[in-house]
Every structure is written in C-alpha cells, then in structure tokens.
C-alpha cells in the first residue's frame, strides 16, 4: 500500500478539515484500489513534482517508469539559488544528479553518459528525497484491497477538476504502523481510476508535496551509467 511506502514522511493528523471527509462508497473504494495499478499498466507517467522548501522549494519535471522503478527528469529551483538545478535520475535507493547551469524545461530523452554524481536516497530529513520516494511508490503491479482501504480510514473528500478532467478527491488510509495518518495522502482521481494529482504532507516541511500527472506523452526512461532498473 502507498501509505506504508510513505509512512516515514507523513505528518500525523494533518489531513482533515473542519468538517471531515465521509466514508467511501464501494465504487469509490474500487477506484482508489486500482489507481496505482493504472499507473503500472501504463508502464509510466509524466509528472511535475512540487517540492516544498523554506527558501522557495524545487520543481521536478520527470518521467516515472513504474515497471522499472526508475525516475528521470530535470530539477529547477524556485525562489532560491540554482545550485540544485540539473538532471536527476533515481531508484528506490539511490539518486543520480547531473548539475547544469541552464537546465532545460524538460530532460533530454537520452541522458548524458557522463557528468553524473550519485548518492544514497535519504529516508528522512530531505523534502526532495521524500518527494522522489513518494512519486516512485505511486505504481503497483496489483490492485490494492478495496475493502481494507475503507476499513483503514480511506475516505471521499470532494470533487474538483484537474486540467479539465473532472475528479473525485479521496484520502488514503492510515499506514499500518503509523496511527493517525489517515487522510495525509490525498488523491485526485478520474472516473476510471486514473490518478491526476497526489498531495502528501511530509514531516520535514510545513507545506505538502504535490505530484501532478501530466497529459503529455510518457517518455520511456533510459538508465544512466551505474543504474540497473528493477525488472
């Protein structure tokens, strides 16, 4: 379950409003159960990840390969210096960065073969690494259990539109090992279970991570030197 995958980053009790959500209907629970599987079925999705930060944060424009468990894109600083700007590729355990003084709007389809630096992906204390972990966890090769989602606190929050798509807003269940985290993962889902946006409160920041699933075509991710995708 995605709630377990992001449990280390969640802020307990940050997801409820003054009136609170309502219980899911069986149809809503079924849609929430298949949303990560939809991402896996598509092989991957193009995303824009908004990473919060006291100095202005970061924006990661990327492609996510949910079968290879691999992300690749470009990072731009917002409202801050450009020291983090450049290309980025990541797995569930490592981050590879290619600094660039004038990073393009979108990463090139074929990553440069040199100029990469690697480091372990941090499990805490980094809003960027938390965001990368969360984004990569939003695809699964099997649907979740709809009944368990409802039993563990998943809920319907309301209706909205994302890029012209009518969506239902649903909140995820509590993590199995983190009481009080129901509602901290919020999803904007289409009528067929397609995920259009995800928002997650993270412990290292006061503002949530926002992941928008773009309508542009997914570009298959090519591993950089030293990266072995999970197949």
């Amino acid at each position: 379950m995605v709630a377990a995958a992001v449990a280390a980053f969640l802020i307990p009790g940050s997801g409820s409003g003054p009136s609170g959500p309502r219980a899911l209907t069986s149809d809503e629970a079924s849609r929430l159960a298949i949303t990560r599987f939809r991402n896996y079925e598509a092989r991957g999705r193009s995303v824009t990840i908004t990473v919060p930060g006291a100095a202005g944060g970061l924006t990661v424009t990327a492609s996510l390969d949910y079968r290879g468990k691999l992300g690749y894109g470009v990072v731009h600083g917002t409202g801050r210096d450009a020291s983090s700007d450049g290309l980025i590729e990541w797995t569930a355990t490592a981050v590879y960065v290619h600094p660039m003084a004038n990073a393009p709007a979108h990463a090139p389809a074929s990553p440069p073969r040199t100029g990469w630096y690697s480091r372990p992906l941090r499990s805490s204390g980094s809003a960027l690494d938390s965001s990368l972990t969360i984004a990569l966890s939003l695809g699964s090769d099997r649907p979740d259990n709809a009944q368990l989602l409802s039993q563990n606190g998943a809920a319907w929050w309301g209706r909205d539109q994302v890029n012209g798509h009518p969506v239902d807003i649903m909140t995820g269940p509590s993590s199995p090992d983190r009481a009080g985290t129901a509602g901290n993962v919020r999803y904007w889902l289409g009528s067929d279970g397609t995920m259009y946006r995800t928002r997650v409160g993270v412990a290292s920041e006061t503002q949530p991570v926002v992941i928008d699933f773009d309508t542009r075509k997914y570009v298959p991710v090519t591993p950089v030197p030293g990266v072995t995708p999970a197949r």
Side-chain angles (χ1 to χ4, degrees):
M1 237 179 243
V2 69
V6 302
F9 310 121
L10 295 179
I11 304 172
S14 69
S16 295
S19 60
R22 64 158 171 78
L24 297 177
T25 66
S26 58
D27 171 71
E28 290 160 355
S30 296
R31 276 193 283 151
L32 181 57
I34 67 170
T35 188
R36 294 193 306 133
F37 182 61
R38 289 279 191 207
N39 285 343
Y40 185 87
E41 277 187 315
R43 181 182 177 93
R45 301 283 304 275
S46 295
V47 299
T48 299
I49 307 170
T50 303
V51 184
L58 302 168
T59 300
V60 182
T61 305
S63 289
L64 300 173
D65 180 345
Y66 283 118
R67 299 190 184 184
K69 299 297 182 183
L70 188 64
Y72 167 62
V74 60
V75 180
H76 289 98
T78 58
R80 49 169 287 169
D81 64 61
S83 61
S84 298
D85 286 12
L87 304 180
I88 188 169
E89 187 158 313
W90 72 98
T91 69
T93 59
V95 178
Y96 299 78
V97 294
H98 186 291
M100 299 180 73
N102 296 293
H106 300 282
S110 297
R113 305 313 296 170
T114 59
W116 293 90
Y117 302 88
S118 65
R119 62 170 175 80
L121 188 145
R122 288 168 282 189
S123 60
S124 63
S126 167
L128 174 61
D129 286 21
S130 298
S131 302
L132 301 179
T133 299
I134 292 165
L136 209 56
S137 73
L138 295 175
S140 175
D141 61 355
R142 59 182 62 86
D144 291 314
N145 186 311
Q147 184 174 0
L148 288 179
L149 291 177
S150 296
Q151 291 175 354
N152 292 336
W156 182 89
W157 187 265
R159 292 189 174 90
D160 198 358
Q161 284 205 0
V162 178
N163 295 325
H165 298 280
V167 295
D168 285 288
I169 305 171
M170 301 183 197
T171 53
S174 284
S175 168
D177 57 352
R178 291 287 297 277
T181 56
N184 290 346
V185 185
R186 190 170 295 192
Y187 306 93
W188 279 250
L189 305 180
S191 59
D192 62 350
T194 297
M195 190 182 299
Y196 289 104
R197 177 176 293 158
T198 299
R199 194 183 79 183
V200 184
V202 296
S204 59
E205 298 293 338
T206 58
Q207 297 298 314
V209 173
V210 178
I211 301 170
D212 282 300
F213 289 82
D214 298 335
T215 55
R216 70 179 187 276
K217 185 178 179 181
Y218 163 72
V219 177
V221 177
T222 301
V224 303
V227 175
T228 301
R231 298 295 180 186

